[in-house]
Amino acid sequence: MSYVYLLAAIAAEIVATSMMKSTEGFTRLWPTLACLTGYAISLIALSQAVKGVPVGVAYALWSALGTAAIVAIGAVFLDEPITLLKVAGISLIIAGVVTLNLGGAS
């Protein structure tokens, strides 16, 4: 069940971060409320996930998968460029998460 909470936390964080641009610097009420609600849900779900998943592993997955997804969303929906440097950075993040998971399994 902890990993279900972790997936929910990741999904909520992705939605909240995706909405951030539409808040226009937190000057638009409804997008701002939706964004902040998404972050609140994400943190609540993450706090439940760490009951059964080591906090370092949970946070690494939460932040890495969220980052990778936001880069993809930015490229597909916001016309942000995918550069070799971005690909290298995401690859390093994924390698770090894999390393942490391997260390957390022992």
Side-chain angles (χ1 to χ4, degrees):
M1 189 65 178
S2 294
Y3 281 96
V4 173
Y5 280 118
L6 184 56
L7 288 174
I10 292 166
E13 189 269 336
I14 291 167
V15 169
T17 302
S18 297
M19 295 194 66
M20 192 169 296
K21 191 170 187 174
S22 69
T23 70
E24 295 180 13
F26 295 125
T27 61
R28 296 182 60 215
L29 178 62
W30 295 113
T32 296
L33 290 177
C35 180
L36 295 176
T37 299
Y39 282 125
I41 291 168
S42 180
L43 292 174
I44 290 166
L46 185 60
S47 74
Q48 295 302 307
V50 298
K51 290 180 179 179
V53 179
V55 70
V57 172
Y59 187 75
L61 286 168
W62 180 76
S63 61
L65 293 176
T67 300
I70 290 302
V71 168
I73 289 167
V76 173
F77 296 107
L78 302 174
D79 297 321
E80 294 177 356
I82 294 281
T83 64
L84 186 58
L85 195 57
K86 282 184 182 180
V87 171
I90 294 297
S91 298
L92 288 170
I93 290 169
I94 291 169
V97 169
V98 168
T99 303
L100 281 173
N101 277 306
L102 292 174
S106 58

